[in-house]
Amino acid sequence: MKIIMLGAPGAGKGTQAKMIAEKYHLPHVSTGDIFRANLKEGTELGKKAKEYMDKGALVPDELTVEILLDRVAKDDCKNGYVLDGFPRTIPQAEVLDKELEKLGDKVDLAIDVEVPDENIVRRMSGRRACLKCGATYHIEHIPPKQEGICDNCGEPLVQRDDDKPETVQKRLTVYHDQTAPLIDYYTKKNILKTVDGTQDMEAVFADIVKLVG
Ligand code: ADP
Ligand code: AMP
C-alpha cells in the first residue's frame, strides 16, 4: 500500500502518518525529517536544504526528488510506505508516478487532511519536536508527559525554526500556490480522499482507518 498525506503545513500529516505507519506496518517517509536529519549531521544536503527551509520556501524539486527516490528504493519500502510532505509540487508528483509506472506500480491513496488556515498558525506555534526520534507534540493539544521532554527518548523538545509565525505565513502561501493543486491532480486520478483535520487526533485517525480499510 502506497499512501500520500496531503495538507497544509501543520495540518497533522506527520502525526497521522506515524499512526498509519504503526498500524499498517509501513515505513513513514518524511522528506522534512530527512532534511532535518541531514541538517543535524551537518551534511552538504542539510546545509543546502536549510537555506530554503528557513525562508519557508520549498527545497528545489531536483534535490527533493533524488532523496525521495533513494529512500523509497530501500528494502523496507518494498511493500509500500506512507509519504508525508512529498509530493509538494506537481512535477514531484509526476516524477513519482513515472518511476512507479516503470515498476508496474502506482500510488493507492492520497489523503488530504483539511484544516483551515486560521487554525494552522495556532497549531504550528504550539508544535514541539524531538530532533532525536522525530516525535511531535503540541503544548496544548498533545502535550508530552513531562513538559519540554520527549516521552520516547527523554530528549529536550525544541521549536522548529520554521514554525515561527512569519515563516508559517510564508509556508501557507507556498502551500496554496504550489502544493494545493495536487488535490486536483489526485482527484482526477480518483484516489483522493479528504478527512476533517480539525477533529482531535484519534477522531482523524478513525476516519483514516475507515478509508484505508
Ligand atoms: P504536519 O506534519 O502536517 O506539518 P504535524 O503532524 O506536525 O503537522 O502537526 C502540527 C502540530 O499540530 C503539532 O504540534 C501536532 O502535535 C499538532 N496536531 C496534530 N494533529 C492534531 C489534532 N488533530 N488536533 C490538535 N493538534 C494536532
Ligand atoms: P515538513 O517537515 O514536511 O513541514 O517540511 C519542512 C520543510 O522542508 C518545508 O517547508 C520545505 O522547505 C522542505 N521540504 C520538505 N519536503 C519537501 C518537498 N517535498 N519539496 C520541497 N521542499 C520540501
Side-chain angles (χ1 to χ4, degrees):
M1 173 83 101
K2 296 181 180 62
I3 301 174
I4 286 175
M5 304 303 293
L6 291 177
K13 300 181 296 295
T15 302
Q16 297 300 326
K18 286 182 192 114
M19 294 164 88
I20 299 169
E22 197 180 329
K23 181 171 171 74
Y24 296 97
H25 309 289
L26 295 170
H28 165 215
V29 176
S30 153
T31 36
D33 283 352
I34 297 174
F35 290 139
R36 281 184 291 278
N38 273 274
L39 190 58
K40 201 171 169 216
E41 285 159 26
T43 67
E44 274 313 304
L45 170 66
K47 283 178 205 158
K48 250 190 241 168
K50 184 177 162 58
E51 285 174 35
Y52 299 93
M53 291 167 83
D54 281 355
K55 285 190 285 199
L58 294 184
V59 177
D61 284 345
E62 310 78 68
L63 209 61
T64 309
V65 162
E66 194 184 322
I67 62 139
L68 187 275
L69 293 181
D70 279 356
R71 176 65 189 89
V72 297
K74 297 229 158 76
D75 247 19
D76 64 329
C77 288
K78 253 193 212 137
N79 296 323
Y81 40 78
V82 190
L83 293 189
D84 159 21
F86 186 100
R88 261 186 162 98
T89 64
I90 298 273
Q92 290 182 10
E94 287 173 345
V95 174
L96 178 65
D97 281 344
K98 264 192 212 128
E99 289 300 315
L100 287 173
E101 210 178 301
K102 282 187 205 161
L103 305 167
D105 208 346
K106 60 175 177 40
V107 174
D108 298 288
L109 181 63
I111 302 172
D112 180 27
V113 183
E114 249 186 357
V115 174
D117 285 8
E118 308 84 87
N119 303 19
I120 292 290
V121 179
R122 212 170 330 129
R123 283 245 180 129
M124 289 170 87
S125 58
R127 172 157 63 184
R128 296 293 179 273
C130 173
L131 293 183
K132 190 169 176 201
C133 74
T136 311
Y137 302 87
H138 190 282
I139 51 175
E140 285 166 48
H141 309 303
I142 308 171
K145 293 194 182 86
Q146 194 187 338
E147 195 184 320
I149 303 291
C150 179
D151 291 350
N152 301 333
C153 58
E155 283 283 301
L157 299 175
V158 297
Q159 182 173 33
R160 282 170 42 176
D161 286 340
D162 59 350
D163 279 351
K164 309 272 153 69
E166 323 77 77
T167 320
V168 169
Q169 280 305 342
K170 165 78 181 156
R171 292 169 69 197
L172 270 175
T173 306
V174 168
Y175 166 75
H176 287 292
D177 288 351
Q178 300 194 54
T179 307
L182 290 171
I183 294 173
D184 212 33
Y185 180 90
Y186 289 114
T187 300
K188 285 188 179 132
K189 290 188 180 288
N190 268 323
I191 57 167
L192 186 95
K193 301 282 177 190
T194 303
V195 292
D196 174 2
T198 62
Q199 311 171 85
D200 67 43
M201 73 173 183
E202 280 81 15
V204 178
F205 188 56
D207 285 352
I208 290 178
V209 169
K210 281 183 214 147
L211 299 175
V212 178

